[in-house]
Amino acid sequence: MSFYITTPIYYVNAQPHLGHAYTTIATDVLARHMRQRGEDVFFLTGTDEHGEPVADAARAQGLEPRELADRNAERFKALGPVLDISNDFFIRTSDPEHVQRVQEVLQRVHDNGHVYKGMYEGWYCPRCADFKVENEILEGNRCPIHEIELTRESEENYFFALSTFQDALERLYTEHPDFVMPPHHYNEARAFIDSGLQDVSLSRARMHWGVPVPWDPAHVFYVWFDALLNYYTALAYARPGEDLTGRFWPASYHIIGKDILKFHTVFWPALLMAADLPLPHHVFVHGFLLGADGRKMSKSLGNVLDPFEVIEQYGTDALHFYLMRDVPFGADGAVGMEAVRTRYESELANEYGNLASRTIAMVQRYRDGTAPEADFDPELDGEFASLEAEVARLMDRAEPTQALEQIWRRVRRLNRYVEEQAPWQLAKDPAAAGRLDQTLATLVAGLRLLTELLSPYMPASTERLLGALGAPGGQLSGLDPLFPKRAE
Ligand code: ME8
């Protein structure tokens, strides 16, 4: 089965930060899990380079938009290897192949009769590149996300006839209750639709940094339509000489933060319908990472968690683990260095790392390093036999935090099992040799299963551990601590 998963494409108006890393890491976990299950996976991420957010930031720095885009796109790209991300392609909306396909699709939307010329007048946030409707505006005409004052815009634009998709969108939501997940975000999107849709600007006349409108090159497309289409256009040119659209479209999952819900859950399906294209299966909306004080992360509040500092102190795997473990995926959650340290020491080092090192050490001490051949202890069988299917079921619903919790319950169970069986006692009693064989075999098989299931979350450490465990029935090798103690 094909599985196509995407992150948002990030604005190149600023440097990458933890929020971007968060979405990308979660998407990576889901992609790796699906690859492990043998699915045909395509994982896309990239940068959103046109429009006001980038043009304004460039002007403020005395740069051409393209210069700023080139510089910051490289920074986002460079994050891939640092974060150990397994994306299959990195799209930049300034790619000429993307630009050409945006023009083709939107020309079709135009030719299908969904576009008209009109006068736009209303409130606009240049940082969101969003025309706000009345019920989205904070007191004092401020943006609900950036809290900056909105500008009053009035210009002649091409409009996308979003309002004519009212019934079709209502039907989509009724027939596909998991089009938007989790349910509270489905309800939010549904409420936005039910409040009555208004047509939206499809072009900007006063912006020049964008994709030219083919039927009227004095306009460029409104950046959101150009940006959303990345999910579709990338497949056509990600592999030179090969068009992957038939193989991977429609997308299985778009993973996004809740700040961009309206675009992905309302504009995007309507645009695809207008272009006669199949709709994605799911949009999964996650929450915001907050500072350790529970407030929005901001440099001035000094409550920002720096991903590079986490990586430097604890490693990339620990950053992935921490983010997937500490903040339930889908909800908002506070993050901070102290919490990273606690999870690292109590769970990664003391629970999982310790389980790994004691298991290997006992097999070496009591059985010369070869895992005995014996059946899995029936006492634990019930709890372990169902685990793989449980994890798969949760991952199918994009619930990596819940899946990790299920895995972790078994990490703890195996540690308790060691205490219950006390292999060091069994080893003293020749009559207990069979029991010791079974205990060690169960530990090795259980640890191998857990490590395979943890591999999408912690690719590097699990690879090391799987290497040390060797092939089933084979020889184990020694292992330096997976999660060594850190200096205070
Ligand atoms: O909106 N917590 O780009 P963007 C969690 N270019 N996630 C966060 C976050 C936080 N505090 N801050 C950012 C754009 N994110 C558009 C998208 S898609 C066709 C175009 C993540 O650079 C989260 O995924 O502002 C959010 O949706 C995204 O970064 C916004 O990135």
Side-chain angles (χ1 to χ4, degrees):
M1 282 261 290
S2 79
F3 183 83
Y4 177 29
I5 189 164
T6 66
T7 73
I9 47 172
Y10 305 114
Y11 281 134
V12 287
N13 57 353
Q15 307 239 9
H17 57 70
L18 183 70
H20 304 128
Y22 177 57
T23 315
T24 304
I25 287 169
T27 309
D28 186 64
V29 169
L30 296 170
R32 286 181 189 266
H33 168 84
M34 288 300 177
R35 281 194 205 105
Q36 201 179 38
R37 272 162 63 182
E39 307 290 345
D40 184 22
V41 173
F42 198 83
F43 166 17
L44 180 72
T45 187
T47 43
D48 186 357
E49 307 194 1
H50 293 134
E52 220 134 353
V54 178
D56 286 354
R59 194 173 318 112
Q61 297 177 45
L63 297 172
E64 287 301 317
R66 184 172 296 281
E67 286 177 287
L68 181 69
D70 285 345
R71 182 183 302 175
N72 281 340
E74 280 315 309
R75 292 188 173 137
F76 276 94
K77 237 183 193 168
L79 213 59
V82 176
L83 294 177
D84 203 0
I85 297 304
S86 65
N87 60 299
D88 294 291
F89 188 59
F90 188 100
I91 187 171
R92 298 184 53 185
T93 55
S94 58
D95 293 341
E97 297 93 334
H98 168 77
V99 168
Q100 183 207 327
R101 285 176 179 84
V102 166
Q103 289 179 322
E104 283 167 14
V105 174
L106 292 177
Q107 179 74 53
R108 187 155 79 241
V109 170
H110 172 269
D111 298 347
N112 284 349
H114 303 294
V115 176
Y116 63 93
K117 202 169 193 178
M119 197 62 193
Y120 176 80
E121 167 129 43
W123 296 103
Y124 180 76
C125 173
R127 293 269 294 284
C128 294
D130 187 13
F131 302 93
K132 303 287 176 188
V133 296
E134 282 307 324
N135 60 11
E136 294 180 289
I137 298 175
L138 289 189
E139 222 170 277
N141 285 322
R142 283 174 308 116
C143 167
I145 290 162
H146 297 100
E147 298 179 13
I148 57 172
E149 261 191 58
L150 301 173
T151 57
R152 191 76 190 165
E153 293 275 328
S154 145
E155 69 176 31
E156 190 166 55
N157 282 338
Y158 288 96
F159 278 78
F160 172 56
L162 180 65
S163 60
T164 61
F165 291 90
Q166 179 83 34
D167 290 348
L169 287 173
E170 284 174 11
R171 212 170 322 119
L172 166 70
Y173 275 69
T174 303
E175 286 168 9
H176 299 278
D178 56 3
F179 176 63
V180 179
M181 299 159 74
H184 62 280
H185 285 303
Y186 170 93
N187 292 337
E188 185 187 343
R190 175 101 221 201
F192 185 87
I193 294 166
D194 289 345
S195 72
L197 296 174
Q198 295 170 23
D199 294 344
V200 290
S201 286
L202 179 71
S203 75
R204 311 284 331 259
R206 277 193 236 117
M207 271 294 305
H208 303 290
W209 177 235
V211 176
V213 172
W215 62 86
D216 186 349
H219 289 242
V220 297
F221 284 114
Y222 170 41
V223 62
W224 268 100
F225 289 98
D226 157 5
L228 286 164
L229 279 166
N230 91 88
Y231 302 131
Y232 177 72
T233 64
L235 294 175
Y237 71 96
R239 295 285 171 270
E242 196 183 356
D243 189 334
L244 299 176
T245 313
R247 183 159 145 209
F248 289 109
W249 192 262
S252 313
Y253 270 101
H254 296 308
I255 308 292
I256 62 164
K258 66 181 185 178
D259 50 336
I260 53 179
L261 172 134
K262 176 178 78 177
F263 303 101
H264 286 80
T265 63
V266 184
F267 293 14
W268 181 224
L271 182 71
L272 288 168
M273 288 177 196
D276 306 318
L277 291 171
L279 306 189
H281 296 295
H282 311 285
V283 177
F284 189 97
V285 186
H286 68 67
F288 280 153
L289 299 182
L290 306 169
D293 51 5
R295 296 165 75 181
K296 190 170 172 178
M297 261 190 252
S298 93
K299 287 210 179 102
S300 55
L301 289 173
N303 62 355
V304 175
L305 178 65
D306 177 358
F308 303 106
E309 200 183 320
V310 176
I311 291 174
E312 201 172 296
Q313 285 198 37
Y314 299 102
T316 310
D317 281 355
L319 174 68
H320 291 211
F321 173 81
Y322 171 74
L323 291 173
M324 293 300 99
R325 180 98 173 119
D326 223 33
V327 181
F329 196 56
D332 292 351
V335 292
M337 211 54 188
E338 187 52 33
V340 177
R341 191 172 69 87
T342 305
R343 289 279 182 196
Y344 182 88
E345 288 178 359
S346 66
E347 297 189 338
L348 288 180
N350 291 347
E351 293 180 343
Y352 180 53
N354 197 26
L355 173 67
S357 48
R358 72 209 292 209
T359 298
I360 292 174
M362 288 189 293
V363 173
Q364 289 179 325
R365 190 169 317 133
Y366 306 130
R367 291 293 180 265
D368 288 331
T370 305
E373 290 201 33
D375 287 341
F376 200 81
D377 194 327
E379 202 192 314
L380 292 193
D381 206 32
E383 282 169 82
F384 278 76
S386 59
L387 179 60
E388 205 171 333
E390 262 171 64
V391 167
R393 186 181 58 80
L394 289 164
M395 292 297 222
D396 281 341
R397 303 191 49 77
E399 293 190 9
T401 308
Q402 308 271 40
L404 186 51
E405 172 59 20
Q406 292 308 319
I407 301 169
W408 217 257
R409 274 182 39 201
R410 273 63 167 206
V411 170
R412 291 182 172 150
R413 183 67 192 93
L414 276 191
N415 272 323
R416 272 206 321 280
Y417 180 70
V418 175
E419 301 304 322
E420 288 163 8
Q421 301 302 318
W424 45 91
Q425 301 290 357
L426 299 176
K428 290 183 195 153
D429 176 5
R435 182 89 207 117
L436 181 57
D437 277 347
Q438 179 167 60
T439 301
L440 296 176
T442 301
L443 284 172
V444 172
L447 181 61
R448 182 180 287 112
L449 172 70
L450 295 177
T451 302
E452 278 161 2
L453 292 173
L454 285 170
S455 132
Y457 298 86
M458 298 187 280
S461 336
T462 52
E463 193 183 325
R464 265 213 303 133
L465 177 50
L466 287 171
L469 291 176
Q475 184 81 17
L476 277 64
S477 39
L479 180 74
D480 289 336
L482 278 182
F483 303 101
K485 283 259 182 294
R486 301 285 146 176
E488 285 293 312

